Amino acid sequence: MTEHFDYDLMVIGAGSGGVRAARKSAEFGARVAVVEEAALGGTCVNVGCIPKKLYVYASEYAAAWREAQGFGWGAERITFDWATLRDNKTNEIARLNAIYQRLLEAPGVDIIEGHGVLAGPQEVVVGDSRYRAKKILLATGTWPAMPDIPGAELAITSNEIFDLPELPKRLLIIGGGYIATEFASIFAGLGTEVVQSYRGELFLRGFDRDIRLFLAEEMRKAGVDLRFDHHVTSITSSATGAVAATLSDGEEVFDAVLCATGRKPNIANLGLDHTAVTLNESGYLVVDEQFQTAEPSIYALGDMTGGWELTPVAIGEAMAFAQTQFGDTPSTMNYDNIPTAVFSQPPIGTVGLTEEEAEQRGHAVVVFESSFRPLKHTVSGSEERTLMKLVVDAETDRVLGAHMVGSDAGEICQGLGIALKMGATKADFDQTVGIHPTAAEEFVTMRVPRG
Ligand code: FAD
Ligand code: NDP
């Protein structure tokens, strides 16, 4: 007798990776269901990339308005209404949730609302219903990790920050990664007094050191109170409803404390103990290059497997998964030269190896670097500067890394990502005609190596 399966594929988690895997697999003809306990689109759409970028846009207007005066615009007082931003953001996300629903329904994916639990290698329970699937894909993402300090429960995370009832006047941000740094710039831009506390000597560990140093200087100029080698040892509630925090340098009162101290895989009550799925020492799911776990019928991808925790990476993995399993085209994800941006103000754009990584890997490197005041700011009055840096292999002339701090860094580095992926050499950069006048042209006009 043949075994009965309700689905060829059940996906748990309708975030960046889960939605793409479900859609593509269904387009290849598989019978697919996706289980989601919150809103369709996952972290990126609901409490990540999208609302974050909208808030970045919102926060840039105050500086733009100040700069506009140098170009002759009037200097009337401008006002900002937090509730308008928050509510317009919420409406836009509701629109995106509906688009995700249509994207799933069009190829025939069943959407099952609720918390998915593995009851065995080919069985998923959602509420009172039990489903059998030939293959199960886990794409449940990650969840904010809180630091082990007394009173941490009084702090908020990036999940709550978008929907605060009011704009905080004083905000303490703990952490020195992407999220902490992006929100420090966002809230400083919106007019909040921001203290960013980082435990190490320089934030954004893993990025090129010159880029980290340069951004720190620019963010301080923009008014962010960056404190490095700095610790928050406790948080208590204050009589006024605010939050008091004990810092390395004394006690201070804030309207809110944001913990942006990393994230951990979303595996609570997932039923992994009913399977042979294994975790690595950091708690991420272990998979092979086909995203297969130690349980042959169960696969996992996206943030919960660690590595590059970025939406385009989760999507790329999902495409490779669907093509391999249901599209008759065995595919793997290539993790080389993944471009990324930190949407700080000014932003970082980066692709390829940092100078430190290139040296650690044994490359003899030549570095080209240019730091300048962008044309716009010669008249705007802003003191903001831009840094661009190329890390080149001295023997092969291949560009190993391109890094930037400055306006539109993410937009510029996306294009450089193609060049690096194609193995461009410094000679190729030199032969490329610039677009004048832009900041980006500096990447093709740097001729003299750094001394
Ligand atoms: P997720 O998108 O997290 O989706 C997981 C889904 O699974 C969720 O919807 C969750 O509700 C659901 N789920 C979990 N457990 C269960 C269960 N048992 N049953 C049912 N459903 C379940 N990346 C970028 O590339 N660019 C950015 O600018 C960017 N900004 C970010 C800003 C913030 C504040 C954050 C937090 C992240 C940001 N990211 C950004 C990272 C990006 O959001 C993630 O890399 C991406 O969402 C990962 O996709 P995923 O499919 O692995 O998981
Ligand atoms: P990150 O891992 O980037 O940063 C976590 C930060 O918290 C680090 O500075 C870390 O310090 C610090 N930290 C960790 N534990 C503690 C602790 N107990 N006490 C004090 N500090 C601590 O995580 P994020 O939460 O910022 O973001 C998660 C991921 O989401 C990112 O890695 C990125 O992949 C993705 N993301 C991408 C964005 C983008 O593409 N623009 C934007 C936002 C998020 P240390 O360095 O010393 O370990």
Side-chain angles (χ1 to χ4, degrees), residues 5 41 75 106 113 148 187 203 210 232 236 275 361 364 390-391 414:
F5 289 104
E113 288 178 23
D148 187 16
F187 280 89
F203 65 179
D210 289 332
V232 178
T236 52
T275 72
R361 292 188 191 188
L390 288 176
V391 180
Q414 180 67 81

Side-chain angles (χ1 to χ4, degrees), residues 52 147-148 174-180 182 198-199 205 260-263 309-310 340-343:
K52 183 274 307 290
D148 187 16
I174 308 173
Y178 279 85
I179 295 179
E182 292 184 341
Y198 174 55
R199 63 184 178 182
R205 188 162 59 80
T261 45
R263 295 172 66 87
E309 295 179 28
L310 299 172
T340 178
V342 179
F343 296 100

Side-chain angles (χ1 to χ4, degrees), residues 74-95:
E76 283 164 48
R77 203 174 81 83
I78 53 165
T79 61
F80 169 69
D81 181 43
W82 169 259
T84 303
L85 169 64
R86 187 192 56 207
D87 298 347
N88 286 347
K89 172 273 302 174
T90 302
N91 292 339
E92 171 56 13
I93 287 174
R95 191 182 72 85

Side-chain angles (χ1 to χ4, degrees), residues 181-347:
T181 307
E182 292 184 341
F183 282 106
S185 285
I186 288 171
F187 280 89
L190 294 176
T192 296
E193 203 182 306
V194 177
V195 174
Q196 183 180 349
S197 163
Y198 174 55
R199 63 184 178 182
E201 47 103 28
L202 183 61
F203 65 179
L204 293 170
R205 188 162 59 80
F207 287 82
D208 188 275
R209 189 170 177 81
D210 289 332
I211 294 289
R212 296 156 73 197
L213 286 165
F214 195 88
L215 179 68
E217 205 173 309
E218 292 305 312
M219 284 179 64
R220 285 187 168 124
K221 277 196 236 163
V224 178
D225 183 351
L226 285 177
R227 302 185 195 176
F228 297 151
D229 282 324
H230 189 267
H231 300 271
V232 178
T233 49
S234 74
I235 305 171
T236 52
S237 51
S238 98
T240 58
V243 206
T246 310
L247 315 173
S248 320
D249 39 10
E251 188 172 299
E252 291 181 38
V253 175
F254 298 90
D255 297 302
V257 177
L258 168 68
C259 279
T261 45
R263 295 172 66 87
K264 55 179 193 307
N266 222 342
I267 53 172
N269 306 318
L270 187 55
L272 290 182
D273 46 335
H274 299 131
T275 72
V277 172
T278 53
L279 308 179
N280 67 19
E281 65 281 2
S282 308
Y284 290 95
L285 271 71
V286 178
V287 293
D288 65 15
E289 61 171 19
Q290 303 292 344
F291 311 104
Q292 192 171 32
T293 68
E295 182 70 68
S297 56
I298 301 184
Y299 297 76
L301 52 76
D303 282 9
M304 72 184 313
T305 58
W308 293 86
E309 295 179 28
L310 299 172
T311 275
V313 174
I315 290 174
E317 292 176 345
M319 292 296 287
F321 168 82
Q323 278 160 359
T324 304
Q325 299 300 329
F326 302 105
D328 288 333
T329 318
S331 314
T332 53
M333 174 78 191
N334 183 332
Y335 296 94
D336 290 339
N337 288 319
I338 291 176
T340 178
V342 179
F343 296 100
S344 46
Q345 290 163 38

Side-chain angles (χ1 to χ4, degrees), residues 1-25:
M1 202 179 93
T2 52
E3 256 189 292
H4 167 76
F5 289 104
D6 301 292
Y7 296 104
D8 298 318
L9 175 70
M10 272 193 93
V11 181
I12 306 186
S16 308
V19 167
R20 182 57 66 93
R23 273 177 59 196
K24 278 318 254 190
S25 301

Side-chain angles (χ1 to χ4, degrees), residues 340-355:
T340 178
V342 179
F343 296 100
S344 46
Q345 290 163 38
I348 291 178
T350 176
V351 54
L353 302 182
T354 65
E355 185 178 347

